[in-house]
Amino acid sequence: MSIIVSVKINDGIVMAADSATTFFRDTGEAFQSYDHANKVVNLVKGLPIGVMTCGGGGVGNASVDTLLKDLRAVLTANGAQAIDPNKYTMEAIATIVHGFFSGKVTASDFKGFLLLRICGYSSGRPLPEVWQVHFS
């Protein structure tokens, strides 16, 4: 069982998660669980963007934590999906997260359940936002 909690207030977002996670076989059957997973991640170092995860602990052969680190590299590189720290929206970040994980889920024929909750501030905005994507 996974538990994630986010509380949005004017001053910010509190994010918390348990540390248990489960890996699924290609059939969707759970086969291995871990008690010390990293389920709350700062998506872009130096920016107020966090991602919490629950459900499947990995997609294909990679853990969700590893995939989020891979996505961080994409967002901070000089490529087409790099974000401008002075001009991004949380909606755009959620769309990128969804697209990145959609590709991984499709390529691995993922049959489990995965939820990613993206929390943070759009650049220049005074109030926090919460977005969510899931795969099942």
Side-chain angles (χ1 to χ4, degrees), residues 23-90:
F23 285 85
F24 294 93
R25 296 186 193 281
D26 291 340
T27 61
E29 171 190 6
F31 77 94
Q32 189 167 14
S33 64
Y34 292 95
D35 293 329
H36 302 288
N38 186 16
K39 294 169 52 175
V40 179
V41 175
N42 176 237
L43 188 59
V44 179
K45 298 290 185 192
L47 293 180
I49 304 170
V51 177
M52 300 186 326
T53 179
C54 72
V59 177
N61 293 328
S63 71
V64 172
D65 186 41
T66 297
L67 292 171
L68 287 168
K69 288 176 185 174
D70 292 346
L71 178 56
R72 177 185 297 145
V74 169
L75 293 173
T76 56
N78 291 328
Q81 285 194 307
I83 61 168
D84 180 347
N86 300 311
K87 193 173 128 183
Y88 69 90
T89 66
M90 288 304 296

Side-chain angles (χ1 to χ4, degrees), residues 104-123:
K104 303 298 181 185
V105 163
T106 301
S108 71
D109 197 28
F110 181 74
K111 299 271 195 268
F113 174 80
L114 175 62
L115 183 135
L116 300 159
R117 184 173 296 161
I118 304 106
C119 304
Y121 290 82
S122 295
S123 60

Side-chain angles (χ1 to χ4, degrees), residues 90-108:
M90 288 304 296
E91 180 178 13
I93 297 295
T95 299
I96 292 168
V97 170
H98 183 265
F100 180 85
F101 276 87
S102 287
K104 303 298 181 185
V105 163
T106 301
S108 71

